[in-house]
Amino acid sequence: MTLARNTLGAVAALGLGAPAALAQDDVQVGIVAVNYNSPSINIMATTAEATAKERGWEVEVFDGQGDQVATNNAANNYIDRGFDAIINVASPNPQMTGVIERANEAGIPFVSTFSGLAPGITADIGSNNTADGVIATTEMIGRLEGEGKVVKLNWNVLPALRERDHGFHATLEDYDDIDVIEIEVKVPGQVDDAYNQITNILLSNPDVDAVWTGWDELAAPAARAIEQAGMADEIFIVSMDGNPEAIDLIRGDAPVALTVAYDIDRMGAVAVDVVEATLDGNPPTTKLLTLKPCLITDATVPPKGEDVNFADCMLFSGEAVAQ
């Protein structure tokens, strides 16, 4: 895993002002994640933890294991114990308003990643998920030549996933020849549920042409179901996140065609940057801080063993042709 890449520079690039290096030598940070076992969430939380510890901070991490109430209780416990900041990794901020209010009352930063906007947060670090949903869906439409049957798998609880959903529907607005089967997966248990849902759908819908997944964790079980149905040459999958498993599937013979990849290592690091800048009296001027994603296809996937180069990557398939 690549840890923080020039994190002080990242703060300056985001317009937060350069924090005083190691100005706080006794900072306590509580990191909470509603589902630490999700690969992207795990990477963001682990990177945030490592980055904070590099600065000499004391860090505690809580895994909600899919339980939002337990996650909120853990964050409140950190506040009660006098922690200096809360970092929320991909737990819906609209479901943590009470925690956010308590953090504001205590005068401590509440910084999140991929958790959405809610009153009182210091900032949420992520991507423009609506735009990313448009990008993935546009690529899908092009491969379908504007017609066909699509299965959409998503979990519309997390704000980032709802925004991707909005991008999906906005892009399909003028494509009447594309039929959509919408599936809301169960979380936790999303991997098994995605596999079972796709397996069952293919039994009654052998004319499916594509599967759109709201995040990469669903792509692998969907691919497995498609392969076991003997339809790997007939159905392709588009997704978002760029987790290592999905990128490996794009490299191989699996029916995963593309993912819109996020620099989730850097997101965890930037969350720590924002905490440090805020503790130094330089909070961000916007509550939504978005980082550039990359489009990963068989034409742009990095060789095995190499990371995606987010500093020099493309987001639109036409760029690969134009080079």
Side-chain angles (χ1 to χ4, degrees):
M1 180 185 304
T2 303
L3 294 180
R5 292 185 279 271
N6 192 13
T7 54
L8 297 182
V11 170
L14 289 168
L16 305 181
L22 300 178
Q24 309 90 7
D25 56 6
D26 58 353
V27 172
Q28 289 182 298
V29 176
I31 299 175
V32 296
V34 73
N35 185 14
Y36 194 86
N37 289 329
S38 176
S40 296
I41 294 175
N42 182 287
I43 291 171
M44 285 187 282
T46 301
T47 305
E49 179 184 11
T51 304
K53 286 182 175 178
E54 285 175 357
R55 300 182 188 184
W57 296 1
E58 180 182 335
V59 185
E60 290 188 23
V61 180
F62 178 82
D63 173 15
Q65 299 181 15
D67 188 335
Q68 186 65 55
V69 173
T71 304
N72 290 5
N73 289 342
N76 280 324
N77 179 259
Y78 292 141
I79 296 169
D80 290 338
R81 291 165 56 197
F83 276 47
D84 299 288
I86 303 295
I87 295 177
N88 169 34
V89 179
S91 310
N93 281 335
Q95 294 188 20
M96 299 188 73
T97 54
V99 177
I100 297 166
E101 289 174 2
R102 294 200 65 219
N104 290 170
E105 291 168 359
I108 65 172
F110 182 99
V111 177
S112 60
T113 61
F114 268 130
S115 300
L117 185 63
I121 67 169
T122 304
D124 183 62
I125 296 93
S127 185
N128 187 327
N129 291 281
T130 303
D132 301 334
V134 168
I135 291 165
T137 308
T138 299
E139 295 291 332
M140 180 189 74
I141 291 170
R143 291 168 184 255
L144 291 172
E145 299 184 21
E147 60 183 17
K149 180 176 286 188
V150 174
V151 179
K152 179 172 71 64
L153 298 176
N154 205 9
W155 183 57
N156 286 292
V157 174
L158 191 65
L161 299 181
R162 285 203 305 275
E163 291 166 5
R164 296 174 195 179
D165 216 72
H166 298 330
F168 173 89
H169 285 289
T171 309
L172 284 180
E173 182 69 26
D174 291 328
Y175 291 92
D176 295 334
D177 292 330
I178 294 180
D179 297 323
V180 179
I181 300 172
E182 301 215 28
I183 302 296
E184 182 83 0
V185 298
K186 298 175 183 177
V187 176
Q190 59 271 20
V191 172
D192 289 341
D193 190 49
Y195 170 78
N196 292 332
Q197 295 272 16
I198 293 297
T199 297
N200 292 334
I201 285 170
L202 295 181
L203 290 174
S204 56
N205 294 273
D207 55 343
V208 168
D209 299 294
V211 174
W212 185 102
T213 68
W215 77 106
D216 279 347
E217 195 177 6
L218 307 183
R224 189 169 76 253
I226 291 167
E227 289 169 340
Q228 290 180 358
M231 303 178 73
D233 294 332
E234 303 168 42
I235 303 172
F236 66 89
I237 300 168
V238 303
S239 189
M240 285 154 282
D241 265 3
N243 74 32
E245 183 179 25
I247 290 175
D248 274 342
L249 291 173
I250 293 170
R251 289 191 187 102
D253 296 326
V256 181
L258 64 89
T259 183
V260 179
Y262 304 121
D263 197 351
I264 51 181
D265 279 327
R266 190 173 175 222
M267 289 176 186
V270 170
V272 176
D273 293 336
V274 173
V275 168
E276 187 170 27
T278 302
L279 291 174
D280 279 349
N282 297 304
T285 56
T286 177
K287 302 297 185 182
L288 295 176
L289 300 172
T290 57
L291 302 179
K292 183 183 81 169
C294 292
L295 179 65
I296 305 299
T297 69
D298 59 355
T300 63
V301 66
K304 192 170 182 63
E306 293 186 16
D307 293 331
V308 176
N309 183 357
F310 287 91
D312 185 23
C313 65
M314 62 189 66
L315 189 51
F316 303 103
S317 56
E319 294 296 335
V321 177
Q323 287 186 345

